[in-house]
Amino acid sequence: MTQAVRHHQHFINNRTRPASGGQTIEVIDPSSGESLGTLARGTAADIDSAVCAARAAYEKVWRATSALERSRILYRWSQIVADHAEELARLECLDTGKPMRQARGDATALARYFEFYAGAADKLHGQTIPYQEGYTVLTIREPHGVTGHIVPWNYPMQIFGRSVGAALAAGNACVVKPAEDACLSLLRAAELAAEAGLPEGVLNIVTGLGTEAGAALAAHPGIDHVSFTGSTATGTLVAQAAAAHHCPVTLELGGKSPQLVFADADLEAALPVLVGAIIQNGGQTCSAGSRVLVEKSIAAEVTRQLAQRFSALVAGPGLQDLDLGPLISARQHQRVALLLEDGLATGARVAAEGSIAAQAPAGGFYQKPVLLAELPSEHRLITEEVFGPVLAVQSFQDEAEAVSLANATPYGLVAGVWTRDGGRQLRLARRIQSGQVFINNYGAGGGVELPFGGVKHSGYGREKGFEALYGFTCLKTVAIHHG
Ligand code: NAD
């Protein structure tokens, strides 16, 4: 399907601006492989302009803007985003290939993030501390100043919303570097922020390659905090670059999240969730439930029922709104194919696979959903993030083995536990190493209120919920000696 081709520019000081070097990057529709236009290919010079704009806005306007006024602007932005949800969803669907209903969900979440942080902006306060006689000691939560946000391509709107919403509510001015593979919705959302009355320079977006604009943002000495979501390898580079100027970093990295299914589980409730947790966004979700750990006595039956469901899944163009869309790019498509090929050559076995819609354009980056039969815990497809629609099954004998398998990867982002045993629910919630544990559900609907982040190689720091506001502020202690 041919779409109107557009040439997108940076968004700095509430105005669009071409790349200083004049270079561009082609925007590809993953559903067809066709061009959707171009993006500005930002350089260190563009990042510097954006950081200067943000610094000036922070010093001259934003730091003196009351929490109430910040809240009102964010609230207006949330309403304008909600009014443009269909337009934003369509952009996200074209740019990422995700099914339209998921893109609509992401646009709704974007509005909800701004609404939530609008409500929180004027409720972030410090404390007084009982201290020695003659002193009054208080703490003040202050914004960092200028925050950098490096956003991946899998959920541009959601990740932008959660990180920029919280940073602005806390009083920071922002510079955002979206992913080169998907940033159209964010450029449009930034225009809507200007409509909502966000002062110029408070939110700036520089598009470009990670190794150019992204690296320049992480290394820029004018950035006071970096929020990064993406791969573990890139997160390490970002943290190293930020460390050179002692800049705090929040890292939201990958995962290899398990769902543990015990013999007493409500299978009727669990099965669609087990499938949905890996199929959502074509498996390109940091918190994808990419491993199912099943108690041995029901492993054969659960695998049979999962196989039935996988065989019925169909991948196709985002606008056709099938079970899943294409992968984001030719590079990601090839990466997943190579991982699978290697996995199959080293002992993995396909238990079932879905299909690609007959009418899907040949140039799209489609990957059939794959269910892998039981694999040993050291296998690459058990320990490494595939970031595609690939679900691996493992089995366990008892609770102790279930915990040990759940914790046996370098990651620790999310886990699901399916059991009716209340004691076991609580034991596992404590013993599983991950930032979130869901009991008899997975993701709890992804609520913006729920703090999110990882342990181990899944990263550190928390975004979402009220907790994010602590990360986007620093605490100052003021001790007054009044005698
Ligand atoms: P990536 O981590 O390289 O990219 C994420 C963001 O970082 C993008 O905006 C990118 O431009 C930027 N970036 C890249 N190199 C950078 C650098 N040196 N300095 C600063 N910023 C840089 O991810 P990718 O290459 O797009 O995908 C590769 C793998 O990452 C995926 O297969 C998947 O495993 C993982 N991933 C995870 C998430 C997540 O939400 N946890 C999201 C996207 C990708």
Side-chain angles (χ1 to χ4, degrees):
M1 183 179 327
T2 310
Q3 303 294 330
V5 165
R6 279 199 55 196
H7 303 285
H8 302 270
Q9 303 190 329
H10 303 317
F11 187 83
I12 298 175
N13 267 330
N14 282 5
R15 282 182 291 280
T16 54
R17 191 190 283 191
S20 56
Q23 288 187 296
T24 57
I25 301 169
E26 195 168 22
V27 182
I28 300 291
D29 171 359
S31 293
S32 66
E34 287 175 15
S35 179
L36 289 172
T38 60
L39 292 176
R41 178 168 165 180
T43 58
D46 298 310
I47 289 290
D48 191 53
S49 298
V51 174
C52 289
R55 177 65 55 192
Y58 175 70
E59 296 295 346
K60 293 187 194 139
V61 183
W62 201 234
R63 72 182 304 166
T65 302
S66 68
L68 175 61
E69 184 55 20
R70 293 199 303 271
S71 157
R72 286 180 173 155
I73 294 171
L74 275 169
Y75 188 66
R76 279 200 297 276
W77 193 13
S78 87
Q79 291 184 309
I80 296 175
V81 165
D83 290 345
H84 290 76
E86 193 62 19
E87 177 198 347
L88 288 164
R90 199 180 151 83
L91 270 179
E92 196 85 316
C93 172
L94 283 174
D95 205 12
T96 65
K98 65 178 66 189
M100 197 51 198
R101 66 186 181 286
Q102 285 176 23
R104 284 195 183 104
D106 290 358
T108 303
L110 181 66
R112 174 70 186 123
Y113 275 114
F114 298 147
E115 181 185 43
F116 178 85
Y117 287 114
D122 58 356
K123 292 157 194 79
L124 179 66
H125 50 70
Q127 296 176 321
T128 56
I129 297 174
Y131 192 54
Q132 295 171 18
E133 183 60 24
Y135 282 87
T136 293
V137 180
L138 51 106
T139 59
I140 304 174
R141 289 220 160 256
E142 296 184 331
H144 292 291
V146 177
T147 51
H149 305 257
I150 301 176
V151 177
W153 41 258
N154 52 347
Y155 289 88
M157 284 197 280
Q158 292 227 26
I159 292 167
F160 173 80
R162 77 186 188 203
S163 114
V164 165
L168 292 176
N172 301 281
C174 304
V175 178
V176 180
K177 208 303 279 175
E180 48 273 44
D181 286 323
C183 52
L184 304 189
S185 58
L186 305 196
L187 292 168
R188 183 69 185 119
E191 290 173 355
L192 300 178
E195 258 180 56
L198 195 69
E200 58 182 55
V202 174
L203 170 65
N204 307 279
I205 300 191
V206 174
T207 56
L209 300 177
T211 46
E212 296 175 355
L217 181 60
H220 198 293
I223 291 291
D224 303 312
H225 178 279
V226 176
S227 158
F228 172 83
T229 304
S231 63
T232 301
T234 306
T236 306
L237 293 177
V238 165
Q240 283 167 344
H245 59 107
H246 305 107
C247 172
V249 178
T250 298
L251 293 182
E252 201 276 274
L253 309 174
K256 194 73 189 178
S257 298
Q259 295 215 56
L260 285 60
V261 186
F262 286 85
D264 67 345
D266 176 353
L267 282 188
E268 218 172 294
L271 279 157
V273 179
L274 298 177
V275 176
I278 184 66
I279 289 311
Q280 177 177 318
N281 214 37
Q284 304 168 114
T285 305
C286 47
S287 56
S290 49
R291 294 188 290 150
V292 171
L293 277 53
V294 197
E295 191 163 351
K296 274 204 162 54
S297 59
I298 57 162
E301 178 56 18
V302 169
T303 307
R304 189 187 67 76
Q305 293 200 37
L306 284 173
Q308 240 174 24
R309 288 170 185 264
F310 261 71
S311 309
L313 295 170
V314 184
L319 287 172
Q320 287 185 18
D321 215 3
L322 303 176
D323 297 306
L324 65 160
L327 300 182
I328 187 73
S329 61
R331 187 171 73 114
Q332 185 68 5
H333 191 227
Q334 192 185 22
R335 194 184 150 273
V336 170
L338 286 177
L339 259 174
L340 268 175
E341 195 182 300
D342 181 71
L344 294 176
T346 52
R349 194 173 57 76
V350 173
E353 58 183 13
S355 57
I356 296 169
Q359 72 277 26
F365 311 128
Y366 299 100
Q367 165 65 50
K368 287 179 192 169
V370 175
L371 176 72
L372 296 170
E374 177 148 10
L375 275 173
S377 59
E378 62 283 359
H379 194 277
R380 194 175 175 196
L381 290 174
I382 293 292
T383 57
E384 282 184 38
E385 188 178 41
V386 175
F387 233 58
V390 179
L391 179 62
V393 177
Q394 297 177 266
S395 70
F396 60 82
Q397 196 65 52
D398 54 23
E399 196 177 302
E401 193 186 7
V403 172
S404 135
L405 289 175
N407 292 339
T409 77
Y411 295 105
L413 194 56
V414 170
V417 178
W418 295 87
T419 178
R420 289 184 167 100
D421 179 332
R424 182 187 279 149
Q425 292 172 358
L426 293 172
R427 283 192 298 277
L428 266 62
R430 288 172 185 273
R431 288 189 197 148
I432 292 176
Q433 299 167 329
S434 69
Q436 291 185 323
V437 178
F438 297 102
I439 311 287
N440 293 332
N441 78 96
Y442 195 78
V448 309
E449 304 86 345
L450 314 179
F452 180 69
V455 298
K456 305 199 290 186
H457 291 201
S458 292
Y460 48 79
R462 294 291 176 267
E463 292 200 339
K464 301 183 60 173
F466 206 84
E467 190 68 26
L469 295 167
Y470 300 130
F472 284 113
T473 49
C474 40
L475 194 72
K476 181 180 277 174
T477 305
V478 180
I480 304 156
H481 186 220
H482 39 69

